[in-house]
Amino acid sequence: MGNLKRFSSLALTLSLAASLAACGGGNNNNNGANSGTSNDKANTTGNTSGNTSSNAASDNKIDTSEFETISYVMLGDKPKNGQLEKVMEKVNAIMKEKINAELEFKWVEWADWQTKYNLLLASGEPIDLITIGTDWLDTWGNAQRGAFLPLNDLLEKYAPLTYAEISQEDWDQSKFKDDIVLIPENHYTQWVNHGIYYRGDWAKEFGITEPIKDFDTLGKYFQGVKDNKPNVVPFDVAGAPGTFYTGFATSYTDMIELPISTGYALAFFGKSYDERYTVDSPIFNDQFVDFAKKMKEWGDKGYWREDALNYKGDTRGALKAGQSGADAHHTGTFKTLRVDMDKAQPGSELQMFAYSDTRGNLISMPITHGGTSVGAHSKHPERALMAYELIRQDEEVYKLINYGLEGVQYEIKDGRRVRPAGYDDARDSFYTDFWGGRMDKFEIPTDTEWSGMGDIYKKYDEIKKPFPYGKFVFDKTSVDPEMTAISQVIGELMPSILAGKAGDPTEAVNALRDKLKAAGYDKVKDEIQKQLDAYKTLIEG
């Protein structure tokens, strides 16, 4: 992701020590607490007892005499086994020593996460740090609504190492208009292209001897499960199999995703990589009706539950228990799920049909797929950035946040993270869902990731095309009501089409198209096209 710049561990350690020297470890020199700007209190110093100096100090001094609690909003279900609290005791001891603050995670849980996330940002709640993603969390839309604090005048002082290691080009991709509104996760290598996981052992049993690369062969696999594995759901899903919409666009069209959120599913794509400045939509593609017919056929055949739209069960747990024949997510999940399945279902040989396998339609990830913003109503943004700097740049804090406690959650053997003897997943598992600033330099290889991922990454690297919309920010001011209406239509009608529960597929697709048109689809499309034309001029001259 981005141009990976590596600093030596020693240099980083020394730089971090220098940048935090004003904090004095125990000498809690401070920032502008509760100010909302970088100017208040910037000229005072303090000590561990909280007594402040009456003399003006250098502008480089940061006043941390007032203890502050920094909130950080994560996407995911809050851990419930008590391990998070134990890890955070260690993290917050360091936070208190170095910046006189504590970190408190808040969670937007996966049930109806899209709505909850946007409502939280719209509520005016004084959020300090929050996970963002321009291609899945409507970051630009929320920026347009004023949800994030501009960081231009804060970063260099309160997160100097992070500010220095991110290139100007990457900062430019982190701006809404002229303001930096996010810190990108641009020093972490990952792929999150989506697809279907299936059991290789069962595929061979059903006569499928080559890796699955298309929907027709996937259908044969599902039918094989249906015919040969009693009490197993071919593809157990909680809700509609929404992954297939992405799969259709990637596998059967040349379209590439635009970073323009329309809720449940993206309505607007680039026509192709070669015609990336032309707006298109899978929904209005001629093949979309055939796709809807396939979804109804698969639903009628029982490839997923009859009540999938209302089902709330643990479908990944069903896969591990041998009660589901497939699962869906992206490459990042597959690399650990393969190892889990090797243990839970020995010999299962879990495989991944990535939708890019069909025709090589694969775009590199944007550097802003993950990242962190400061909420517009944060009461102490300066200390929030200092806390973020510690997570991203202090190796000890980084490992605690990402891995947990050494000796409890992991041990290091031969340079790899392994589970300690006696590790129990229910009792000892730990996560923070920190996707806001991971760093390759601190990552430790783990035995929980499948050793075959190198070959998969190599395959992707051979076909990938660079992400073309890094500096494109859609301004929806003139079409905001239409965008809202389009999102509502898609959320209302798309799930039943994907689950094959919308009645006649042709009529259902036509109804979706008609309602999108009535909601203002053409007006929005024209506005996107106008802005893409301007963007093309910006990029290509």
Side-chain angles (χ1 to χ4, degrees), residues 124-142:
E125 182 176 332
I127 298 164
D128 295 319
L129 301 170
I130 185 167
T131 304
I132 59 86
T134 59
D135 55 344
W136 65 289
L137 282 173
D138 196 18
T139 296
W140 298 132
N142 282 307

Side-chain angles (χ1 to χ4, degrees), residues 91-152:
V91 169
N92 283 327
I94 299 170
M95 290 275 175
K96 187 174 192 311
E97 176 189 358
K98 294 192 173 183
I99 64 171
N100 197 28
E102 67 177 4
L103 189 65
E104 178 182 63
F105 289 129
K106 297 186 176 181
W107 301 82
V108 174
E109 300 201 335
W110 288 126
D112 198 22
W113 59 272
Q114 292 167 311
T115 300
K116 292 176 181 176
Y117 180 86
N118 286 330
L119 285 175
L120 176 64
L121 283 172
S123 70
E125 182 176 332
I127 298 164
D128 295 319
L129 301 170
I130 185 167
T131 304
I132 59 86
T134 59
D135 55 344
W136 65 289
L137 282 173
D138 196 18
T139 296
W140 298 132
N142 282 307
Q144 186 175 352
R145 291 186 285 271
F148 307 124
L149 187 75
L151 302 178
N152 305 42

